[in-house]
Amino acid sequence: MAEIAATASKRDVGRGRGLVAAIAWRSLWRNRRRTWLTAGGIAFGVSLVVFSMAFQAGSYGDMIYNATSFLTGQVQIQRADYIELSRFEQTIGDATETLRRVEQQAGVLSATARVEAFALVSVDERSFGAQVLGVDVERERQVVNFFDRLSRGRVMAGPDETVIGSGLARNLNADLGDEIVVLGSAKRGGVAAMVLDIVGIFDSGISELDRSLLFVPIAAVQNEFGLGDEVHTIVVRTQVDDSRAVVEALGHQLPEGLSVRNWDEVLPEIRQGIDVDRLGGMFMYAIVLMIITFSIVNTFTMTVFERLREFSMLKAVGMRPGKIVLMVQIEALLLWAIGVGIAMGLMVPLLAWLQSSGIYLGEAIVELAKQYYITDRIYPALGPASLLAAPAVMLAATQIAAFASSLRIYWLRAAAGVRAAE
Amino acid sequence: MSSDIVVSCKGVSRTYQEESVPVHALRGVDFEFARGEFVSIAGPSGSGKSTLLNVIGGLDRPDAGTITVDGVELNGLNETELSDLRLHKMGFVFQSYNLIPVLSALENVEFIMQLQGVGPAERAERAMSMLDSLDIVDLADRRPGDMSGGQQQRVAIARSIVTNPVLLLADEPSANLDSATTEDLLQLLRRLNEERGVSILTATHDPIVMSYAQRQVNLRDGAIVEDSAAKVA
Ligand SMILES: Nc1ncnc2c1ncn2[C@@H]1O[C@H](COP(=O)(O)OP(=O)(O)O)[C@@H](O)[C@H]1O
Ligand SMILES: [Mg+2]
């Protein structure tokens, strides 16, 4: 008897959580082919969705970064009423101090101030309405990359110099070296007038900007237009991921009446584009996962059907139907784990590698890429959302499929096993 | 003995509705079964033997009459309570498909104790000694698919009595066995009945099975037509 007990406890080693899990696991392998096909389907669907979501998320990061680094920055500060009415006198006073405080905020990488004035610009007999942007080029270069991309000439070096858009130059029939006259109305009435040398021409690819913008050193604009230590906009550079927190913090920090806006308020079309793209992606993922779910439902319907005699015998000997259903759900959990395990085993190393190397989109895409604020090389983002969404959806799908398929166990006659062979 | 009643049936009827034609499987059966008895319900196919075992075992409910098992009236129990009654008080041996195909003999015997909440060490020990006392230790690691019909029935018996049920119900236990194997199996049942005092109720139309029982109840068209206990008493 002692021997038997010894053998018995030795057998028990490693059996762990009991026989329900053992039944579930071994039952999976009664039909290897079907199990591998279903697990393979889960692995395929999860891989596809995880891979696509990672690149989708990665492309948004790039897109946002490129769009905001161009000219708008990631965060902008203006007077709240200026956002609505854009009237020249609606300025941020005490600009130097405000800019200093903004720069001290954690998460702010750099910041610059701008003055915006509407003016009539003329070269010889030709005149056009234009937007004068008073900027500090040295600071601008820390915040945006606009001035790194002049198509001709150079940036302003003195108070009498300007950089103008290619469209504006064409309309004015002006070129580098020409003189341009700027006429506007100063803050307290009166005429603001400047005579400037064109030292640079930009061609941003956005015709709206190219036709209407000219850049002038900020001090000169403030001077001529009768502004003191006043600006219209403070443009802030942050990491894209930090921008929202910076907006929050600055909102508390800065005096009332100032409005701090995140990039998605400044450039709502970027946010909308992302939302539309994300929705389209979601729709595709839903279809992929739904197809996989159908095959899971099919597998479990078959599994339960093939084992009705086993289940009816288990009911007869006193296993509660809920426990039998639970057993099928453990089986589904194991099947899910196999499929997701395969998918993650492949995708996590692959995406981790691609995160450093990226995928080159090819020559054809380069021109297009410039225009749409995307790069010619895309990188995946390995966030929890893109990694966990598909596995989570599949977990729910397998559990629901297993539960729905095994509901009939509740109605199964416990005595069926008795009559089955008659 | 007669004061220690395990099963008592009073006026038990069961009618099946088969394509709107009523089939009276049991018609007012009165029957008492004492602890430690080995009773065989005999009768031709379709006489209601399985139906009687099913209603006594809590697998089916009668349309009329009362059944009391070990002092519990089955009519008053809901499905879950019936399920637990089967788990804790009944042992079942069906004519086929008694075992879980993916579990070994030992695990099959253990599993029923796991359902009862017996801890792993204890159930492994009890399962092993049960196999030992039925002389089937060598089957411990084999799965049902690798056993003969007789071996499977032995494991099923081990499974059904390892929980010390008040009653062992065996419906046509020899249906798929040759006569030599049937004799072995019945000797085992008789031994369990005599040595361990297991109460056994079996339904059969096999004369060999009948010959091993102490008491024989004959069923015809859902009614008891003869009870050997009546003669003995
Ligand atoms: N689930 C059922 N549905 C319909 N009729 C049944 C059912 N079970 C048994 N019967 C009928 O009840 C009668 C008795 O059957 P049963 O108890 O299985 O007899 P036995 O076991 O003696 O062969 C038979 O006529 C049979 O056809
Ligand atoms: Mg029968």
Side-chain angles (χ1 to χ4, degrees):
Chain A
M1 221 43 191
E3 272 168 54
I4 295 160
T7 347
S9 54
K10 222 181 289 163
R11 276 171 210 281
D12 203 58
V13 172
R15 200 173 286 147
R17 301 236 345 117
L19 295 165
V20 174
I23 296 173
W25 175 252
R26 293 178 198 171
S27 295
L28 270 183
W29 303 110
R30 282 172 79 180
N31 195 329
R32 273 163 199 282
R33 204 180 106 87
R34 188 170 64 207
T35 296
W36 278 123
L37 276 175
T38 314
I42 294 171
F44 173 77
V46 168
S47 298
L48 190 70
V49 173
V50 165
F51 189 85
S52 314
M53 280 184 85
F55 272 97
Q56 211 180 3
S59 76
Y60 296 154
D62 282 350
M63 193 197 274
I64 295 163
Y65 179 78
N66 289 316
T68 51
S69 303
F70 177 61
L71 187 59
T72 52
Q74 286 75 41
V75 174
Q76 286 197 356
I77 302 158
Q78 288 166 322
R79 244 172 73 167
D81 50 4
Y82 183 74
I83 293 167
E84 213 180 308
L85 303 171
S86 298
R87 287 182 29 199
F88 186 71
E89 65 272 19
Q90 294 169 326
T91 54
I92 304 172
D94 223 355
T96 313
E97 171 60 14
T98 310
L99 186 59
R100 200 186 57 76
R101 276 171 67 182
V102 168
E103 280 181 314
Q104 278 169 359
Q105 173 60 46
V108 172
L109 300 174
S110 53
T112 186
R114 291 176 190 163
V115 168
E116 297 160 9
F118 188 76
L120 191 71
V121 297
S122 331
V123 174
D124 299 331
E125 283 98 62
R126 297 194 184 212
S127 298
F128 282 90
Q131 175 92 32
V132 177
L133 270 189
V135 296
D136 177 337
V137 174
E138 284 319 303
R139 279 182 170 275
E140 288 286 337
R141 285 191 143 155
Q142 307 292 313
V143 179
V144 294
N145 56 30
F146 187 88
F147 294 96
D148 303 334
R149 300 181 173 192
L150 294 189
S151 60
R152 293 166 60 209
R154 57 171 174 80
V155 296
M156 306 84 83
D160 301 330
E161 295 181 347
T162 184
V163 169
I164 74 171
S166 59
L168 189 59
R170 205 176 317 116
N171 288 339
L172 292 168
N173 201 12
D175 206 346
L176 292 179
D178 287 349
E179 257 184 8
I180 186 167
V181 177
V182 176
L183 284 177
S185 44
K187 189 182 176 190
R188 279 175 234 289
V191 175
M194 290 190 278
V195 179
L196 306 164
D197 287 332
I198 299 173
V199 296
I201 292 178
F202 65 85
D203 189 1
S204 68
I206 302 167
S207 58
E208 228 176 286
L209 300 183
D210 295 341
R211 264 192 281 115
S212 65
L213 267 192
L214 69 157
F215 292 89
V216 180
I218 186 167
V221 181
Q222 281 171 324
N223 217 10
E224 289 303 324
F225 283 78
L227 296 176
D229 186 16
E230 297 168 74
V231 299
H232 291 105
T233 307
I234 291 174
V235 179
V236 180
R237 187 162 90 93
T238 68
Q239 298 287 354
V240 170
D241 290 341
D242 296 344
S243 68
R244 197 160 288 280
V246 168
V247 168
E248 281 279 309
L250 287 177
H252 292 300
Q253 275 266 331
L254 297 178
E256 230 164 278
L258 293 191
S259 164
V260 185
R261 294 189 301 161
N262 196 24
W263 60 266
D264 56 354
E265 291 174 84
V266 180
L267 295 173
E269 64 274 16
I270 301 288
R271 165 60 63 202
Q272 282 157 15
I274 287 172
D275 286 346
V276 167
D277 189 73
R278 193 170 270 158
L279 202 69
M282 235 125 89
F283 188 69
M284 190 197 85
Y285 306 146
I287 288 176
V288 170
L289 296 183
M290 215 135 82
I291 292 169
I292 307 293
T293 302
F294 280 131
S295 93
I296 298 167
V297 169
N298 188 51
T299 293
F300 277 94
T301 308
M302 302 270 286
T303 300
V304 171
F305 180 75
E306 286 165 1
R307 281 155 69 195
L308 285 180
R309 278 175 30 131
E310 181 181 337
F311 294 151
S312 105
M313 181 272 292
L314 288 172
K315 265 184 102 165
V317 300
M319 187 171 185
R320 292 189 190 175
K323 257 196 165 165
I324 304 176
V325 171
L326 185 74
M327 192 162 76
V328 179
Q329 288 189 271
I330 292 175
E331 213 169 304
L333 184 73
L334 294 170
L335 188 64
W336 170 85
I338 295 169
V340 168
I342 294 170
M344 289 306 181
L346 292 174
M347 284 303 122
V348 171
L350 178 67
L351 289 170
W353 176 66
L354 287 173
Q355 222 173 7
S356 54
S357 70
I359 293 180
Y360 181 58
L361 293 176
E363 295 295 337
I365 214 80
V366 174
E367 275 311 303
L368 210 69
K370 265 187 200 149
Q371 214 171 339
Y372 289 100
Y373 301 132
I374 54 174
T375 44
D376 53 2
R377 194 169 270 279
I378 52 170
Y379 296 87
L382 268 187
S386 45
L387 279 184
L388 300 180
V393 169
M394 276 340 280
L395 178 62
T398 45
Q399 286 300 303
I400 292 168
F403 184 72
S405 313
S406 53
L407 267 183
R408 63 187 296 180
I409 292 169
Y410 282 98
W411 290 280
L412 183 65
R413 252 170 58 90
V418 182
R419 280 173 56 83
E422 279 172 23
Chain B
M1 274 281 270
S2 63
S3 62
D4 197 3
I5 301 298
V6 178
V7 177
S8 160
C9 301
K10 287 199 174 66
V12 171
S13 295
R14 178 71 171 97
T15 304
Y16 292 109
Q17 211 61 41
E18 195 84 327
E19 283 157 12
S20 78
V21 183
V23 178
H24 301 284
L26 294 176
R27 314 165 187 250
V29 171
D30 294 313
F31 172 69
E32 281 199 340
F33 180 97
R35 203 175 299 277
E37 274 195 294
F38 185 168
V39 177
S40 161
I41 314 269
S45 186
S47 56
K49 305 182 295 294
S50 294
T51 306
L52 182 59
L53 251 60
N54 286 349
V55 294
I56 289 172
L59 292 166
D60 194 4
R61 289 176 189 275
D63 305 308
T66 57
I67 298 163
T68 310
V69 174
D70 201 30
V72 180
E73 218 207 273
L74 302 191
N75 281 347
L77 304 182
N78 64 28
E79 287 305 313
T80 305
E81 288 164 338
L82 271 184
S83 179
D84 289 353
L85 178 105
R86 296 199 293 270
L87 177 61
H88 292 282
K89 295 201 168 179
M90 308 279 180
F92 290 95
V93 177
F94 307 116
Q95 55 182 296
S96 66
Y97 214 91
N98 275 292
L99 304 174
I100 300 165
V102 294
L103 293 188
S104 69
L106 183 73
E107 290 168 332
N108 262 287
V109 176
E110 269 188 64
F111 186 62
I112 196 85
M113 288 185 280
Q114 182 181 329
L115 292 179
Q116 288 186 328
V118 178
E122 186 192 337
R123 66 182 188 237
E125 185 189 326
R126 275 169 60 185
M128 204 57 191
S129 64
M130 180 52 67
L131 294 186
D132 186 44
S133 68
L134 266 58
D135 293 321
I136 47 173
V137 174
D138 51 324
L139 298 180
D141 290 327
R142 276 206 239 162
R143 294 197 187 175
D146 301 327
M147 296 179 211
S148 70
Q151 289 171 326
Q152 286 186 39
Q153 290 307 71
R154 278 178 174 258
V155 176
I157 289 169
R159 191 270 318 271
S160 66
I161 62 171
V162 74
T163 57
N164 298 318
V166 297
L167 180 62
L168 171 60
L169 294 167
D171 192 1
E172 312 272 5
S174 65
N176 301 317
L177 306 181
D178 59 42
S179 56
T181 317
T182 303
E183 294 269 1
D184 283 350
L185 199 71
L186 282 149
Q187 262 159 22
L188 173 64
L189 285 179
R190 176 182 275 174
R191 211 185 87 206
L192 292 170
N193 174 250
E194 286 172 353
E195 292 174 9
R196 294 178 167 241
V198 179
S199 310
I200 301 174
L201 182 58
T202 160
T204 188
H205 57 265
D206 182 346
I208 307 177
V209 179
M210 297 175 204
S211 69
Y212 275 85
Q214 301 161 343
R215 173 181 162 196
Q216 189 175 315
V217 175
N218 277 319
L219 215 55
R220 196 142 310 203
D221 295 330
I224 294 177
V225 291
E226 196 185 0
D227 186 342
S228 65
K231 288 181 219 160
V232 173

